[in-house]
Amino acid sequence: MHVELYERIWMWAAGALVLVFLGVILVTAGLHATAPPSHIETVDPATLETHPEFGTPAVTEMPDGSVKAVVVASMFMYSPEPIEVPAGRPVTFRITSSDVIHGFQIGGTNANAMAIPGYVSQFTLTFDRPGEYLITCNEYCGLMHHAMVGMLIVTGGRP
Ligand code: CUA
């Protein structure tokens, strides 16, 4: 079968692009530990205020020395604010939303999750460097979306 030269060039170019995109996924997964959030756990957004865990979102130390940070995102803030966690210890974030879909991205780290009403997003991260980290909402959630920010304070150790 005869294939025109230009058509052949574009076929190879399209194939090469697919390989480049797959390579980008593999590199980010390998070097930056980027992974799709996958935690299938539900929570009723209508009764969030009386929920034993999400009713009083807070940072708690677990018996094994790890830290749990329960966060509720809502128009247009995060609770608790600020979120204060220690450096050098694994912090498990458990995040949900009380209204619409929000984002939860911690600047300068690979933490980036969605806060979805009805679902719990969970990931664990250890912060090596103490300091203040800006949390931003990266899902359009309403008129004040651009102003929805939070603060993560990592304490202890050397800055
Ligand atoms: Cu919350 Cu955008």
Side-chain angles (χ1 to χ4, degrees), residues 68-148:
K68 183 171 79 163
V70 176
V71 179
V72 173
S74 57
M75 291 173 177
F76 296 94
M77 55 179 284
Y78 298 100
S79 179
E81 166 63 28
I83 302 169
E84 207 172 316
V85 299
R89 282 158 68 183
V91 179
T92 297
F93 289 87
R94 288 172 53 73
I95 307 161
T96 192
S97 166
S98 62
D99 38 46
V100 299
I101 291 178
H102 297 278
F104 185 86
Q105 182 167 14
I106 306 174
T109 74
N110 66 349
N112 183 2
M114 284 170 90
I116 307 168
Y119 289 88
V120 179
S121 298
Q122 179 173 316
F123 62 89
T124 302
L125 198 64
T126 302
F127 298 91
D128 295 325
R129 280 182 297 120
E132 294 187 349
Y133 296 76
L134 189 68
I135 302 168
T136 49
C137 177
N138 55 14
E139 301 283 343
Y140 183 73
C141 54
L143 282 180
M144 292 299 287
H145 158 71
H146 62 284
M148 182 165 171

Side-chain angles (χ1 to χ4, degrees), residues 18-91:
V18 170
L19 290 180
V20 166
F21 293 151
L22 280 176
V24 167
I25 292 173
L26 290 176
V27 166
T28 53
L31 294 184
H32 303 292
T34 304
S38 53
H39 193 73
I40 303 169
E41 184 183 341
T42 55
V43 59
D44 183 3
T47 59
L48 217 53
E49 276 170 27
T50 54
H51 190 273
E53 190 179 16
F54 290 101
T56 50
V59 177
T60 42
E61 299 208 12
M62 305 307 283
D64 64 356
S66 66
V67 175
K68 183 171 79 163
V70 176
V71 179
V72 173
S74 57
M75 291 173 177
F76 296 94
M77 55 179 284
Y78 298 100
S79 179
E81 166 63 28
I83 302 169
E84 207 172 316
V85 299
R89 282 158 68 183
V91 179

